Amino acid sequence: MHFITRHAFNFFISSALLILSIVNFDIGLFGLAVLIGGYYMSNKLILAIQKRKRRKELGMTKEEYRHIEEQIKLAREQLTNLTQQYVRVRSIKSFKLLNETNKVAKRIINIVHTNPQKFYAVEDFFYAHLPSAVELADKYTLLTKEQVKGTDIHIALEDTRKTLKDLHGTIENDLKLALQSDIDQLKIELDFAKLANEQSREKIGGGGE
């Protein structure tokens, strides 16, 4: 909704500036420049206002919010790097492993983007787990690409794949941590709903007597 509101408001402001520039200056090219410039500036301004409001709602400082934004941006870049490894792997098993890791990692990033407070529950994912997975995937695909035969290479590939599989499990645990507060809240709501339902039944039963 913030995205739609921001761009709708930007379009309104830019259109108003364009009409004013055409009426007052009668210069089409200048009006186009005003339209583009007005849209860009209003977009920046409204985005800053929305971020400030969001920070206050979350009870975060500007530095905290900015740091989390930077970590999300970095994680998305790392995820792009991981996706690029798909075309380099030479086995279906390795492809599925990278693909599943990518999906889980993307869910965590999207969850934190929606609710930045959850960043603190999965800091290790951003600082260690995802970077390690990307680095290992890069080395793994590099070794498979070389197609060098030998016991040492084979052992290294197997160890790397096993470590990637372990990291996938670790990242799945990160996802559980990211969802834990939602699960806890759902349990509370379910308990409350059950209690309310039981009380309602008791009243109906009591009334029947």
Side-chain angles (χ1 to χ4, degrees):
M1 283 302 297
H2 283 174
F3 178 86
I4 296 172
T5 302
R6 184 170 73 251
H7 286 279
F9 191 66
N10 288 340
F11 180 77
F12 174 78
I13 292 176
S14 301
S15 299
L17 289 172
L18 176 61
I19 293 171
L20 286 173
S21 65
I22 292 174
V23 171
N24 294 318
F25 298 98
D26 194 26
I27 302 176
L29 188 59
F30 179 81
L32 180 61
V34 170
L35 174 64
I36 295 172
Y39 188 89
Y40 176 80
M41 293 302 295
S42 61
N43 184 63
K44 285 287 186 180
L45 178 61
I46 296 170
L47 181 60
I49 293 172
Q50 287 178 342
K51 283 185 177 181
R52 183 182 178 186
K53 182 181 178 182
R54 180 65 171 155
R55 286 199 308 270
K56 287 184 176 181
E57 290 174 352
L58 295 171
M60 289 183 172
T61 64
K62 185 177 181 180
E63 289 72 23
E64 283 180 302
Y65 195 85
R66 182 179 296 172
H67 176 71
I68 294 172
E69 278 190 323
E70 289 173 353
Q71 290 302 315
I72 291 173
K73 181 181 178 182
L74 179 60
R76 282 177 171 161
E77 291 173 356
Q78 291 170 336
L79 211 59
T80 300
N81 193 330
L82 186 63
T83 305
Q84 291 172 350
Q85 309 305 322
Y86 287 7
V87 296
R88 300 179 185 175
V89 294
R90 296 182 179 276
S91 71
I92 295 176
K93 187 183 293 185
S94 298
F95 176 85
K96 288 177 68 176
L97 177 59
L98 291 181
N99 186 47
E100 287 302 316
T101 302
N102 184 291
K103 286 180 179 178
V104 177
K106 187 179 292 184
R107 284 190 66 189
I108 295 172
I109 294 169
N110 288 338
I111 288 170
V112 175
H113 176 74
T114 303
N115 188 349
Q117 286 180 321
K118 289 181 178 288
F119 172 81
Y120 298 106
V122 290
E123 285 182 274
D124 288 341
F125 166 79
F126 287 92
Y127 294 143
H129 303 159
L130 180 59
S132 295
V134 173
E135 185 177 354
L136 280 173
D138 185 61
K139 290 180 178 178
Y140 180 79
T141 54
L142 178 63
L143 287 173
T144 55
K145 184 180 179 182
E146 295 299 327
Q147 293 184 326
V148 178
K149 294 181 179 181
T151 304
D152 290 343
I153 293 293
H154 179 72
I155 293 174
L157 282 170
E158 283 300 311
D159 286 345
T160 305
R161 194 179 71 80
K162 183 178 181 301
T163 306
L164 277 171
K165 189 174 181 180
D166 291 341
L167 270 172
H168 172 70
T170 301
I171 291 175
E172 283 187 324
N173 288 332
D174 289 331
L175 177 59
K176 292 176 183 178
L177 289 173
L179 294 171
Q180 190 60 52
S181 61
D182 295 324
I183 294 172
D184 292 340
Q185 182 63 32
L186 178 61
K187 287 179 179 178
I188 292 172
E189 291 175 0
L190 284 173
D191 289 341
F192 180 79
K194 288 177 182 178
L195 180 61
N197 191 39
E198 289 174 2
Q199 290 176 343
S200 177
R201 287 180 178 179
E202 289 176 359
K203 288 180 179 179
I204 294 173
E209 293 177 359

